[in-house]
Amino acid sequence: MIKKNILYCSFIFFIATIFFQIAVLIKLNQYDKKINRVMSDISSNEKPPEQPAEPETPPMIPDTEPTITETSGFSNYEDINDILSPARLTQTLANSLFIGDSRTEGLYKFTPAAEYADFHCGVGYTVSTIKDNLMLSAAIAEKKYDQIFLCLGYNELGWNYPETFISRYTEFIQFIKENSPDTRIYVIAILNVCRESHNLEEYENNDRILQYNNLLSEMCQNSQVTYLDLNRYFTDSNGNLNPVSTEDGIHFTAIYYNYYLYRIIEAMG
């Protein structure tokens, strides 16, 4: 009897153990599924790593001729390839120097002039900038340039005393004459601005430019240097810069910088 009770208890214990193991396995399986679901939700909510932005493609410099609209009311440039040919530029610009502000920098960047002439120019340059530059002064005295083109005055429009501008300009011309007496000096008039531009300061206007250009013209007569006023080629009947020639109302587009160089070369004869 005792033996039967022992066997019966063992059987019951065995069955209970099996049910316990099954219950544990079910719980583990449920827990595993819950873990997998949570991890899946986390993964789906994660943002992918940001990729670095691709650099913008720099604008291409136009290499085509302007349309009829762009040259409407202005002289044609059928012979521009001859005027700006390597042979002509070598003849006219070899051993030359251009000195000026950001408008002159446009000649350096967008025309072939830099292949034949030296340039000393930059944004914000004024007569004071160049007059006090010892390296520039040394270069002028040493190289004895055949021609020097001076294109200054726009950044000085806001000066309180235009006479100070003319005085310093005259002093610099006198320095060139004393240190390189055979150099031919060209003073290029300040180019007008476009009336349609709304980004100009109050003093950046064509009336102020005309005042300065009149002073430059008188200075050139007194200093016996050549004065080049090219505004008539790029302005309308009211003296405003042709809107299609500029993007900011002040500086030429790449194509028109080549027309600007064309007029400089043409004026030299």
Side-chain angles (χ1 to χ4, degrees):
M1 184 71 180
I2 295 174
K3 187 175 181 180
K4 286 182 178 182
N5 289 336
I6 293 174
L7 290 174
Y8 177 77
C9 291
S10 298
F11 176 76
I12 295 298
F13 178 78
F14 176 74
I15 294 299
T17 301
I18 291 175
F19 276 106
F20 177 77
Q21 291 177 344
I22 291 173
V24 170
L25 289 174
I26 291 174
K27 286 292 184 180
L28 288 174
N29 185 54
Q30 291 175 344
Y31 182 75
D32 185 59
K33 288 181 178 180
K34 184 177 180 181
I35 292 296
N36 289 336
R37 185 170 61 252
V38 172
M39 295 301 295
S40 176
D41 291 341
I42 293 173
S43 299
S44 63
N45 290 329
E46 287 182 348
K47 294 182 179 179
E50 294 184 0
Q51 298 296 322
E54 294 184 2
E56 294 183 359
T57 303
M60 297 297 291
I61 297 173
D63 57 0
T64 58
E65 289 296 316
T67 63
I68 294 176
T69 302
E70 289 177 321
T71 57
S72 177
F74 299 88
S75 302
N76 294 322
Y77 294 85
E78 292 93 345
D79 60 342
I80 190 169
N81 290 331
D82 295 329
I83 297 294
L84 300 188
S85 66
R88 184 68 179 273
L89 292 178
T90 299
Q91 176 187 355
T92 55
L93 296 185
N95 198 37
S96 295
L97 172 65
F98 284 83
I99 301 174
D101 50 34
S102 58
R103 283 169 154 179
T104 306
E105 195 172 41
L107 287 172
Y108 175 80
K109 289 181 177 180
F110 301 118
T111 78
E115 299 177 25
Y116 306 90
D118 292 341
F119 277 78
H120 184 84
C121 55
V123 177
Y125 271 30
T126 67
V127 290
S128 295
T129 304
I130 63 167
K131 181 176 174 293
D132 299 330
N133 190 300
L134 298 179
M135 292 184 64
L136 175 61
S137 298
I140 291 172
E142 179 182 347
K143 296 199 69 171
K144 311 293 183 186
Y145 289 101
D146 293 332
Q147 291 94 213
I148 292 180
F149 300 89
L150 302 174
C151 319
L152 296 158
Y154 191 87
N155 294 317
E156 294 90 320
L157 293 176
W159 287 12
N160 292 328
Y161 303 102
E163 296 77 11
T164 302
F165 162 66
I166 291 298
S167 175
R168 293 179 181 175
Y169 213 139
T170 302
E171 290 175 7
F172 187 69
I173 289 175
Q174 188 60 33
F175 169 82
I176 297 174
K177 285 176 169 286
E178 291 175 357
N179 289 272
S180 186
D182 295 328
T183 297
R184 187 171 184 180
I185 301 171
Y186 294 90
V187 172
I188 300 179
I190 306 168
L191 288 169
N192 286 5
V193 295
C194 179
R195 183 183 59 185
E196 298 181 10
S197 177
H198 301 289
N199 300 317
L200 304 177
E201 299 291 343
E202 183 179 353
Y203 56 82
E204 294 176 293
N205 59 73
N206 291 328
D207 290 338
R208 182 72 164 173
I209 290 173
L210 178 60
Q211 177 191 5
Y212 270 56
N213 280 341
N214 287 337
L215 292 172
L216 287 175
S217 177
E218 182 180 356
M219 178 195 71
C220 289
Q221 290 180 3
N222 295 334
S223 301
Q224 297 183 331
V225 299
T226 304
Y227 176 65
L228 299 181
D229 188 349
L230 305 177
N231 271 300
R232 66 185 183 277
Y233 298 113
F234 304 105
T235 56
D236 59 23
S237 58
N238 295 317
N240 297 300
L241 195 65
N242 182 6
V244 300
S245 70
T246 176
E247 294 181 353
D248 62 0
I250 303 172
H251 303 89
F252 284 136
T253 61
I255 289 176
Y256 272 83
Y257 269 116
N258 282 275
Y259 292 163
Y260 185 38
L261 179 61
Y262 172 100
R263 292 303 178 187
I264 293 173
I265 302 300
E266 184 186 54
M268 294 174 63

